[in-house]
Amino acid sequence: MSDIAAAENADSKLTGLSESLGEGDFDRLENLWMEILENPEQLASSIADLAAVAGEGLRQGQEKIKPLLDLTWGALDEDGESAAEDSSAPGAGLSGVSPGDRAALGEVLVRAFPGRKEYLAFFLDAFFEDNVPLSVERAFFNVCDIEGASDKNVALDRFSGLLRYKPGAIVYHESGWGIGEVLEVDALLGQVEVDLEEKKGHRISVEAVDSILQVIPDESFRGLLYRSSAELERLVEEDPVGLVQKVLDDFGSPLAQKDIKAHLIAGAIDSGDWTRWWGRTKKKLRDSGFYRLDDCSPYHVEKLKEAVSFEDE
């Protein structure tokens, strides 16, 4: 088989793994996984993808993913010696795999088997190799105490959440300082510096940042509004229904028409264009079947779980 054909075959198997998990076809998933384990080259290049599939499987409560992770660990041997039999050098067969990919595998191994010390050691070694002491990742990692935590999954979940507060992240201070952006994470001082509407250059302890600030996704309405992005302009013209949905996602459904207007003219639509734009958008919302628009004040707009025709509504 040519290198190109081999690569396509590998990609096909990885795609099949994700599809099988999504469809709940665990027999197919198991067969594809075992085929990858039987090919050392493909296994080494697929570690991150296997870790991603395993992580999603664990989030879904798929206990059958755990034996596959154990088998993966056993397949990563060197000179015929199983890594699982030599806990002093866990994952020795992964020497050619990047530390980041090893850390990804290590994390799902710890999530699946939180009591296995060799898996924790493997994860920690890979993570520390991939992230220098003063990195943003280490700053967040240090406050989670994953090694000492009684519940490893809770600690790992918090670490994953804290990683969203990297420089450039849009954040919101619910107690009155408004929206802003993370400027810096200082691992030495254990502080996060943010610029907020009402508090420029403010510093917050890394330990407390996730209890004080809410991360605003870049693709959300508030995120697009903060960035003044071209995508927001595109939605106004090309996908007004999608834009209204983003407003409802951010501020709740049902939402009064006057509130939708207030949010949109804050930076997305000129107030002089509102009447024309909303008249056109209301028709599209009704035609979609997924929105209820009240005919009396305060004219709420509500996203429905299932489509309903305007006549039935």
Side-chain angles (χ1 to χ4, degrees), residues 4-226:
I4 294 177
E8 289 177 347
N9 183 49
D11 289 342
S12 176
K13 288 178 184 176
L14 294 171
T15 300
L17 283 174
S18 298
E19 291 175 349
S20 300
L21 182 62
E23 296 166 359
D25 186 350
F26 203 85
D27 287 340
R28 180 184 177 216
L29 185 148
E30 186 175 37
N31 289 335
L32 289 169
W33 195 298
M34 295 304 296
E35 287 179 18
I36 292 173
L37 293 189
E38 292 166 1
N39 185 327
E41 279 191 17
Q42 188 174 348
L43 174 58
S45 65
S46 303
I47 291 301
D49 297 285
L50 292 177
V53 171
E56 181 57 31
L58 293 174
R59 280 189 288 275
Q60 294 178 10
Q62 293 280 4
E63 291 293 313
K64 292 181 179 179
I65 211 79
K66 293 182 179 181
L68 293 177
L69 283 170
D70 244 345
L71 289 170
T72 303
W73 177 259
L76 300 170
D77 57 22
E78 187 173 56
D79 297 329
E81 183 176 27
S82 171
E85 296 170 358
D86 181 13
S87 59
S88 65
L94 285 171
S95 57
V97 179
S98 73
D101 286 356
R102 280 184 273 142
L105 176 62
E107 178 178 338
V108 293
L109 284 167
V110 172
R111 286 185 178 278
F113 306 98
R116 296 276 290 271
K117 293 181 179 180
E118 66 271 30
Y119 291 162
L120 178 61
F122 172 52
F123 170 57
L124 294 176
D125 286 346
F127 180 84
F128 292 147
E129 183 180 349
D130 193 42
N131 300 282
V132 298
L134 294 182
S135 65
V136 170
E137 290 78 9
R138 288 286 282 272
F140 293 135
F141 188 87
N142 293 340
V143 303
C144 296
D145 188 24
I146 294 168
E147 185 172 9
S150 57
D151 191 324
K152 298 289 190 285
N153 277 285
V154 169
L156 285 166
D157 285 344
R158 189 183 181 209
F159 175 55
S160 296
L162 282 171
L163 287 174
R164 300 173 67 206
Y165 292 85
K166 288 184 176 182
I170 304 170
V171 291
Y172 179 69
H173 184 265
E174 294 186 355
S175 298
W177 291 342
I179 198 167
E181 184 174 351
V182 176
L183 299 179
E184 179 188 12
V185 177
D186 190 323
L188 186 62
L189 297 178
Q191 296 179 339
V192 177
E193 183 182 0
V194 293
D195 254 356
L196 301 170
E197 288 173 305
E198 303 299 328
K199 199 79 170 179
K200 302 297 184 183
H202 183 56
R203 287 184 171 268
I204 301 172
S205 165
V206 170
E207 176 66 49
V209 68
D210 53 346
S211 66
I212 296 174
L213 300 175
Q214 172 193 356
V215 174
I216 304 297
D218 285 3
E219 67 276 8
S220 69
F221 173 72
R222 285 185 291 174
L224 294 173
L225 193 63
Y226 179 80

Side-chain angles (χ1 to χ4, degrees), residues 234-267:
R234 186 194 71 78
L235 289 171
V236 169
E237 296 300 324
E238 300 178 16
D239 187 11
V241 172
L243 179 57
V244 171
Q245 181 58 56
K246 285 182 178 292
V247 174
L248 297 180
D249 288 342
D250 275 13
F251 300 103
S253 174
L255 192 64
Q257 178 185 315
K258 63 181 179 61
D259 295 324
I260 295 174
K261 176 181 178 180
H263 292 307
L264 287 172
I265 66 174

